[in-house]
Amino acid sequence: MTEITLTLNINGRDVTRAAPAHYSLLRWLRDAASVFDVKYGCGEGVCGTCTVLVDGAAASSCIVLAAQVAGKNVTTLVGLGVDGELGPIQEAFVDHGASQCGFCTPGMVLAAHELLSSGEALDRAQIRHAIQGNLCRCTGYQAIVEAIVSLVPETAGSDS
Ligand code: FES
């Protein structure tokens, strides 16, 4: 098995590890770098729970080779915390009961972060569209959408 040594910046810290060349980013993070807040879900890029941000853009880490993102900045759920505490999006999810079993939560929070980082006003339809690649089997999505809405002061419209 061919191994390659890669350096990724994970949540602001350079991490260098040798791992099999075929490792997905998800597997590299979990098995080589011991980053366990990234979750394995479907393994096919469908459920969204393995979402991470690569240079600020959401990506399904199970279908991205680690070698493809060598040298890039990878942000996981933990990376959205502030001084070891929950960040604003994480707080909003808690406040709105937007996490139940937690399966979808890392991907949802990271997708929300990408969406909100534009700074644009958003309506609920836009929020639902943005998180459609993240499957939640518990909340029915309403609480998740409301948590994200709470972070958009100028949310347009009152559609539900
Ligand atoms: Fe359980 Fe979303 S909180 S899948």
Side-chain angles (χ1 to χ4, degrees):
M1 189 181 320
T2 303
E3 290 209 337
I4 55 173
T5 299
L6 303 174
T7 299
L8 280 63
N9 185 287
I10 303 173
N11 298 327
R13 186 171 59 95
D14 281 344
V15 176
T16 301
R17 296 285 187 276
H22 69 274
Y23 266 21
S24 67
L25 175 57
L26 171 65
R27 193 160 183 197
W28 194 92
L29 288 168
R30 291 183 60 88
D31 294 357
S34 300
V35 176
F36 298 117
D37 57 311
V38 182
K39 303 301 182 190
Y40 183 92
C42 67
E44 298 178 353
V46 173
C47 75
T49 197
C50 70
T51 299
V52 298
L53 302 179
V54 177
D55 286 345
S60 295
S61 62
C62 71
I63 55 170
V64 174
L65 285 174
Q68 289 176 283
V69 298
K72 296 194 175 188
N73 298 307
V74 176
T75 304
T76 70
L77 182 68
V78 167
L80 297 188
V82 179
D83 297 330
E85 304 291 331
L86 297 180
I89 301 172
Q90 294 157 322
E91 288 279 11
F93 270 58
V94 171
D95 292 346
H96 289 81
S99 181
Q100 292 184 29
C101 79
F103 171 83
C104 70
T105 306
M108 286 291 188
V109 170
L110 287 157
H113 178 82
E114 181 190 37
L115 178 64
L116 293 165
S117 64
S118 72
E120 296 175 6
L122 302 162
D123 62 25
R124 286 174 174 79
Q126 290 170 307
I127 292 169
R128 286 195 196 95
H129 180 77
I131 64 170
Q132 67 182 359
N134 297 78
L135 305 182
C136 178
R137 56 194 174 187
C138 301
T139 71
Y141 299 96
Q142 194 61 30
I144 293 168
V145 171
E146 293 308 317
I148 299 171
V149 165
S150 74
L151 297 165
V152 184
E154 304 141 87
T155 296
S158 58
D159 58 330
S160 56

